[in-house]
Amino acid sequence: MPELCLGGLSETWLLKACGDLHWRLIADRAGRDVPEFRDADGRKAYAAFCALRSASLRLDAFDEHDVLELDSEIAAVSRT
């Protein structure tokens, strides 16, 4: 189970899942079926995060067969 590690829910797995969800929301907002973006020259542009903060996650509280629901929304904060 890639979602779990020795100490509960895998932080690496969780960050990957949240990143994937984030880029799928951006793709949906841009009217794309998949989160594939290209620059002006047609070169593939890859997602990157500059910073991330998590607090009070309690990853150790998760066990096998627990249900984790990720609910997210996206909103524009500037014209760009």
Side-chain angles (χ1 to χ4, degrees):
M1 298 175 69
E3 300 90 352
L4 295 179
C5 64
L6 184 60
L9 187 66
S10 166
E11 183 176 24
T12 301
W13 176 86
L14 180 60
L15 295 176
K16 181 219 166 277
C18 289
D20 182 61
L21 176 58
H22 178 77
W23 289 105
R24 288 183 183 281
L25 288 169
I26 291 173
D28 184 58
R29 182 86 173 216
R32 299 178 180 270
D33 292 330
V34 295
E36 184 174 309
F37 303 97
R38 298 197 177 269
D39 67 11
D41 295 325
R43 296 177 298 219
K44 199 171 219 180
Y46 289 96
F49 289 93
C50 296
L52 178 74
R53 181 180 68 186
S54 60
S56 306
L57 284 179
R58 294 288 326 267
L59 299 175
D60 60 330
F62 289 89
D63 202 357
E64 285 183 291
H65 310 295
D66 283 350
V67 175
L68 173 65
E69 183 176 318
L70 299 175
D71 185 29
S72 186
E73 61 185 61
I74 195 164
V77 295
S78 72
R79 293 183 316 172
T80 57

